[in-house]
Every structure is written in C-alpha cells, then in structure tokens.
Amino acid sequence: MTGAEEPLISRREDGLDPDADADADDENARSLDPPPSSSAPPPTSSSPTLFVYLLTLSAGISGLLFGYDTGVISSTLVSIGTSLSSRELTPLDKSIITSSTSLLALAVSPFASVIADRLGRRRVILVADALFALGAALQAFAVAVWHMVFGRAVVGAAVGAASFVVPLYLAELAPPAARGRLVTMNVIFITLGQVVAYVTGWVLGEYGDKDTAWRWMVGLGALPAVVQAVVMVGMPETPRWLVMVGRAGEARRVVERVLGGKGWWREAEATVKGIEVEVRDEAEARRLRSSGRGGSGGSTAGWMDAAGELLGVKRNRRALAIACLLQGLQQLCGFNSLMYFSATIFEMLGFPIPTLTSLVVAVTNFAVTVAALFLIDRIGRRRILLWSIPSMVAGLLLASYGFSIISLPPTDSAVEGGKAAAVTPERGAASLVLVSIMVYVAGYALGLGNVPWMQSELFALNVRSLGSGIATATNWGANFVIGLTFLLLMDALTPSWTFVLYASICVAGYALIWRFYPETAGLSLEEAASLLEDDRWGVR
C-alpha cells in the first residue's frame, strides 16, 4: 500500500522554486481575476462531481495494480513448471524472480519525488503505467529465468515510481471532502487486487492450458495499467505543481473543475493564492538557508537542508526511527512471504488445489482490511497495533507447531515433477497450518497492514516528504530481503523455525511499539509531531 495523506493546500519541501519575478506575479494575478459571468454565489451541493468519480476510479486502479502484482506471483511460481530455461525452478530461482521487483522498487522510489517535480505528477504516472504494461508483456513472453527476472524488474521500476507519486497525485488533487474516500479506495483495492490475482491464478491454473496459463496470469497485469493510462489522459496536472512552474491560471481552472465548475471561482482563487504564498515562502526560506551557509541554493541545497533538519533535530530523528520501525516491521514480520509463496507452501502441504487454498489468505486480508478502515480512527493507531500483533504471534507459533508434525520434502524437491507429497501422521495438521495462517493474516490486516502508511503524521512539515520517502524505502528494502530469503530459510531452518523467527521479530516489534510509538489518532499533524519532544517520546 502507498500512504501519502496531505491536503490540497499542502506544503512539500522538495518542490521546484517558483518563477518569482514581478512579471510572472502580475500575470498570475491577472489570471486569477474572476470571470464577469460568475457573479452568482457558488452552488451549495456537496455531491461528488464526475471528476471526483474519475479520481476515485484512478485511485482504485492504482491499488488494483499493486495488489495484483503482489498476488499473481504466488500462482505463477507453481504453474511455470519447466517453461523457463527448460527445467524446474529452484528455490533460488523463485527467490530472485520474486525479489527483483522489490529491489528495483527500492532503487527507484527515492528518486520518484525529484522526477515528479521535474516532469509533473501526471506524466510520471503515465510512464509508470507504460512500464507496468511493458513488464507484464516481458514476463508473458519469457523463455528463460533471466527473461522473467528482467520483466519483474521492469514492473518493480513502475511500482517504485507509482507507489510514491500516485498517493501524492491523489492528495494534491482531491477535494477535502473526498480525500478520505480516495485513500480508503486505494487501500481496499490493493487487497482486492490480491484476491483478483488468486482467483485468476486458480481459474487459469485449473481450466487453462497447463503450458501457457502462467503466461496469461502475468500478462493480464497489463490490463489495469492500460485502463488507468486511458483515464489519466483526461485528468489534469495537480494545482500545486502547476503553481510551482508558474502556471497559476491553469491551476485555478483545475481547482474549479475539482470543486464543480466556474461557480466556485472564489474558492478556486483563494486556494491557488494560498498555494502561491506557500511556494513563495518555501523558496524564500531555501534562499535564506542557502545564503546563511554560503551555498548556491537550488533543489540540491534544499534536500541537504531537509536532511540536516531530519537528522539534526531530536523530534525529527525520533519520527524517522518510528516510521522506519513500522515500515520495516510490516515486511520483516513475513507477511509478504505468504503473498509471494502461499501457493508454494500449500502445495508442499499436499493441498490438491494450492492456488484455490491461497485464495483464503487473500480474502481474509481483504475482509479484515475493510473492517480496519472503520476501526482504526475509533480505536487508535497505537492501541490497534498492541491488540493485533499478539494474534500475529499466536498464528505464527501455531503454524510452526503444525509444520513440526508434518514430514515435508525440501522445497527444491517438493515441487519437482508435480504436486508435493506431504506425509503427515495427522491430516488435520495441514488444516491447522491453514487456520493459523488465517489468524496471522487477520492480525496483520487489522494493524500492521495499515498503520505504517500513516507515517506522515509523525513528521514536522519541513521534513515530511524526505522522512516519508526514507521510511518507504525501508519498506521496499525489507520487502526485498523477505522475498529473497524466505524459501532459502525454509530449507536452512525448516518451516517450523522460519515461522518462529518471524514470530520473534513480531515480539521484538511489539516491545518497541509499546515503548516508543505514541498515539496520534485525533491530533492535528502539528500536535502529533510535537509529541516526540518529551523524554517519553509522547507515550502516555
């Protein structure tokens, strides 16, 4: 999931300096003069406009893309057979294929905000859609393992760019009344995309051609990207980016469109003028900081200043530590090992249709995520984590026990030549593993699946973008580690001890959250950031 939540009149410290000369200011001021025909008061209806519905659709497609890509690899790995390099995939092959997406996302995501400032948010999304479609096609036509790895890497580059830019685009463009709905739509559709991926994998795996079904699984990932690109062609750039590049008149027209038409010109004018003031203030603050240290200013100096404030100010360091803790724990708890390899696990356990069994995991994740969206503000971020992580630990330990009473072949031979032959003294042990995984996934979806993406609440305004970017990179780095090591750990430590390892990480994370993570529900962004000033890190 991607987690930027900032208002339409938001400030980001990594933007381009506006064109602040007097002629540009005069031109912008003239562009904001009210049209003569718009003397009537603005309409009072608050019903969503067609534009808001299109923006909601765009948010949903973005989530669907991320979710489908995460889930489809699980079904693909058990369906490839000998199609790549004319041999069965080894655990290392599977690990590299899976983790290559995370590695490229990690490499690209830190630069996403810089590229978005240079090219615009909308153009970067269109480029990401093109990369999604290209990556899906490369995977569908792959004939060797390295071809598949390259296709997954291209998709990873798209994920790395879109995971930062799409939430930013939505946050900067959405009207305040619709912002929560858009964020909710994005989160729900990520889990829905995983459900769609598992259903697609099951249908194609059971009823499609055994030699080509997996190619259709990965190739269909291009479809949401094409649909989103078509929708984005008719969507505008965000008002903030337009103001940053000196196109305030166009920004006002975009705001009018968001609000419902020319009848809202007064509100649009006020919004754009507010953005102009903030952009001008940011440029002046950067100029003063640059002249104070004898630098030349510019975007590089702005980033150096933000990095200095992020690491040099106590509350900012604490915010970064907590955000990285939550993002790292979200991945190192092992959840995405189930998203990537659940079909492989259930095949090892002897389930006759592993892709259908994997669907249970995705549906559980989707259902509890929907519930969490209604509970998280009511219960609170800290409390929901402290309530849900113990159920994750219980699920992991139960799964460990279930694996301990099942005799399994090594993962490299478990899938060789067809279905795995798990020999168990008690057929209920495999079902115990399935139920325990459902308990674990439910706990994850209730807390860790959502709370880390609220990281912007922790950061002061002047370091919010940089701090959130570093925390997001931490997530992708941990995701890469999990994707690369899971099957290798299953061989080296046995499945039982691998799940015990993940449970131990959850216990350590619980202790750190109990000690250092304050409750931020119901607080303004400024109040939440100021919590980290005291010696108790705001924990009461």
Side-chain angles (χ1 to χ4, degrees):
M1 303 188 285
T2 47
E5 296 183 45
E6 297 187 19
L8 180 63
I9 313 177
S10 62
R11 293 182 61 187
R12 291 180 63 242
E13 311 306 323
D14 55 342
L16 298 173
D17 290 347
D19 187 359
D21 60 276
D23 293 339
D25 285 341
D26 291 342
E27 178 63 29
N28 289 340
R30 286 193 297 272
S31 71
L32 291 171
D33 289 341
S37 60
S38 299
S39 57
T44 58
S45 173
S46 60
S47 59
T49 63
L50 175 62
F51 177 84
V52 172
Y53 283 120
L54 288 174
L55 197 57
T56 304
L57 175 63
S58 179
I61 296 173
S62 298
L64 194 70
L65 266 172
F66 298 148
Y68 187 88
D69 181 73
T70 301
V72 76
I73 194 62
S74 176
S75 302
T76 301
L77 290 177
V78 298
S79 304
I80 287 177
T82 60
S83 298
L84 297 178
S85 301
S86 301
R87 60 175 174 79
E88 294 284 350
L89 296 179
T90 67
L92 183 60
D93 290 334
K94 293 182 177 183
S95 298
I96 294 175
I97 289 171
T98 302
S99 60
S100 57
T101 300
S102 302
L103 180 62
L104 262 292
L106 171 64
V108 170
S109 59
F111 305 101
S113 63
V114 177
I115 298 172
D117 283 338
R118 296 292 179 186
L119 301 181
R121 286 72 160 121
R122 176 175 167 273
R123 289 178 183 172
V124 173
I125 294 174
L126 289 172
V127 170
D129 287 332
L131 290 175
F132 270 118
L134 175 61
L138 289 172
Q139 292 176 81
F141 291 100
V143 295
V145 171
W146 75 267
H147 295 162
M148 189 70 170
V149 171
F150 183 69
R152 294 284 296 171
V154 171
V155 169
V159 169
S163 63
F164 184 90
V165 176
V166 169
L168 176 64
Y169 179 82
L170 297 175
E172 289 189 344
L173 198 55
R179 188 172 300 115
R181 180 164 63 250
L182 290 172
V183 173
T184 299
M185 183 67 69
N186 187 261
V187 173
I188 289 177
F189 267 74
I190 288 175
T191 57
L192 180 61
Q194 293 167 347
V195 173
V196 171
Y198 283 123
V199 171
T200 302
W202 167 58
V203 171
L204 291 176
E206 292 302 311
Y207 304 104
D209 188 302
K210 301 299 181 184
D211 295 326
T212 60
W214 70 271
R215 298 185 184 276
W216 285 99
M217 293 178 199
V218 294
L220 286 173
L223 184 59
V226 172
V227 173
Q228 185 180 52
V230 171
V231 172
M232 289 301 299
V233 166
M235 300 294 284
E237 188 51 80
T238 71
R240 178 168 178 79
W241 186 81
L242 291 171
V243 170
M244 285 195 299
V245 296
R247 294 156 61 181
E250 188 175 345
R252 179 181 59 79
R253 291 190 292 272
V254 171
V255 176
E256 285 182 353
R257 183 179 174 188
V258 171
L259 295 176
K262 290 186 176 180
W264 295 88
W265 67 265
R266 292 188 186 278
E267 288 76 5
E269 179 180 354
T271 296
V272 173
K273 282 189 176 296
I275 296 174
E276 287 182 301
V277 169
E278 293 190 0
V279 170
R280 195 172 293 122
D281 287 347
E282 290 173 5
E284 179 63 16
R286 281 196 296 271
R287 187 188 67 79
L288 292 174
R289 288 194 299 263
S290 177
S291 62
R293 66 166 187 268
S296 58
S299 60
T300 301
W303 276 100
M304 290 175 61
D305 287 333
E309 293 185 32
L310 181 63
L311 299 177
V313 178
K314 179 174 66 175
R315 77 172 187 179
N316 295 338
R317 286 198 308 271
R318 290 177 172 181
L320 182 64
I322 293 173
C324 290
L325 163 67
L326 295 178
Q327 291 285 14
L329 182 61
Q330 187 188 70
Q331 296 300 326
L332 296 178
C333 71
F335 175 78
N336 268 342
S337 65
L338 298 180
M339 289 294 101
Y340 297 146
F341 302 114
S342 58
T344 300
I345 294 171
F346 294 133
E347 188 176 53
M348 290 170 58
L349 292 171
F351 284 95
I353 309 178
T355 51
L356 183 59
T357 310
S358 298
L359 183 60
V360 175
V361 176
V363 170
T364 301
N365 187 31
F366 173 71
V368 181
T369 297
V370 173
L373 292 169
F374 294 99
L375 295 174
I376 194 163
D377 286 322
R378 184 178 306 173
I379 296 176
R381 288 86 160 107
R382 171 183 167 87
R383 187 178 300 173
I384 207 168
L385 285 176
L386 295 179
W387 285 3
S388 61
I389 291 178
S391 67
M392 295 172 60
V393 174
L396 288 168
L397 293 179
L398 276 175
S400 175
Y401 171 73
F403 275 114
S404 71
I405 58 177
I406 300 175
S407 177
L408 292 172
T411 54
D412 57 351
S413 61
V415 294
E416 197 165 330
K419 301 293 182 186
V423 181
T424 173
E426 183 183 349
R427 293 302 303 169
S431 298
L432 173 63
V433 173
L434 174 59
V435 171
S436 64
I437 287 177
M438 291 173 62
V439 171
Y440 164 75
V441 169
Y444 175 90
L446 188 62
L448 270 179
N450 294 282
V451 174
W453 295 112
M454 299 177 185
Q455 59 198 11
S456 62
E457 296 176 334
L458 299 168
F459 292 102
L461 185 61
N462 58 337
V463 296
R464 187 169 297 148
S465 179
L466 179 59
S468 296
I470 293 174
T472 301
T474 301
N475 184 289
W476 285 118
N479 191 320
F480 169 71
V481 170
I482 288 296
L484 183 64
T485 62
F486 176 70
L487 291 181
L488 303 179
L489 287 173
M490 293 273 281
D491 267 346
L493 300 181
T494 74
S496 291
W497 284 107
T498 299
F499 279 75
V500 168
L501 174 62
Y502 292 148
S504 301
I505 292 173
C506 289
V507 170
Y510 180 93
L512 292 171
I513 289 169
W514 180 83
R515 172 62 182 86
F516 296 114
Y517 182 45
E519 182 55 71
T520 58
L523 302 178
S524 69
L525 293 179
E526 292 75 19
E527 291 170 337
S530 66
L531 284 175
L532 299 175
E533 291 282 7
D534 66 39
D535 293 336
R536 293 177 56 87
W537 293 52
V539 175
R540 300 288 181 259

